[in-house]
Amino acid sequence: MISRLDLPTTVPTRSAVVVIRRATLDDLGTVLRLLTDDPISAARDGASGASGQEALLAHSEAFRQIAADPGNDLVVAEDADGVVVGTLQLTLIPGLSRRGSARLLVESVRVASEQRSAGVGTALMRWVTDQAAPALAVSLVQLTSDAARVDAHRFYERLGFVDSHVGFKYAVEGPGNDA
């Protein structure tokens, strides 16, 4: 948990508000559904071959590690009815470049399919850039996005993110591989 983030907080969308708060273990099932609510993620997470119970145990352990790590936060966005409609993970990365400044890595940004284009994703990302990043005194907010997520790329560019680097991955064989 990144303790310097003042959560929960309320942020506006186009037509309503959402509450951004830290995810709890009770949110895990909903977050996992959001993470697999597209063909790219569904194929990747379905490829592990783990049974439902094995996968739930692995995800529960991963959640516990994120929650216990002072440089990580998993947040959710709730609508007025308390329904989780979005999520993202933040990782604070200290560094030596950029005069020793820290970076904020944004990962696993997802919005419920029925809420896409309603401003939830924009609200989440504006909270990251306008509130979380300054509170954490970072010099850069960065993210990666699968090359096939063309709509997501347009979304990030509309928010002012610049396609400035080429990313590389190396898939390590074994359980939990999500190359």
Side-chain angles (χ1 to χ4, degrees):
M1 169 178 60
I2 304 174
S3 63
R4 289 180 282 167
L5 295 179
D6 189 18
L7 293 172
T9 190
T10 303
V11 296
T13 67
R14 259 189 228 108
S15 59
V17 296
V18 292
V19 174
I20 298 175
R21 64 170 176 79
R22 287 186 174 86
T24 67
L25 195 53
D26 290 340
D27 297 314
L28 184 58
T30 302
V31 169
L32 292 176
R33 279 190 295 281
L34 289 172
L35 292 177
T36 58
D37 187 22
D38 68 76
I40 295 168
S41 296
R44 181 175 46 218
D45 281 347
S48 71
S51 73
Q53 187 61 28
E54 284 178 282
L56 183 59
L57 288 172
H59 285 114
S60 296
E61 179 55 28
F63 178 87
R64 285 183 189 87
Q65 289 177 17
I66 292 166
D69 184 336
N72 274 285
D73 237 325
L74 181 65
V75 300
V76 294
E78 287 183 339
D79 67 12
D81 297 323
V83 176
V84 173
V85 294
T87 188
L88 60 79
Q89 181 177 343
L90 299 175
T91 302
L92 187 60
I93 305 170
L96 294 175
S97 63
R98 297 180 183 262
R99 297 185 176 176
S101 66
R103 299 170 187 229
L104 186 59
L105 177 66
V106 183
E107 283 288 323
S108 301
V109 179
R110 298 292 193 285
V111 172
S113 56
E114 65 276 5
Q115 292 290 325
R116 292 183 190 141
S117 298
V120 174
T122 298
L124 272 166
M125 292 303 296
R126 288 286 179 229
W127 170 77
V128 169
T129 58
D130 298 351
Q131 295 178 40
L136 298 171
V138 300
S139 66
L140 187 70
V141 175
Q142 63 188 33
L143 56 87
T144 61
S145 179
D146 191 288
R149 295 185 191 279
V150 178
D151 290 340
H153 302 168
R154 283 193 296 268
F155 167 72
Y156 294 127
E157 288 168 353
R158 274 196 311 271
L159 295 175
F161 285 80
V162 177
D163 179 11
S164 64
H165 288 68
V166 174
F168 297 90
K169 292 185 177 184
Y170 182 86
V172 177
E173 297 297 321
N177 180 4
D178 107 324

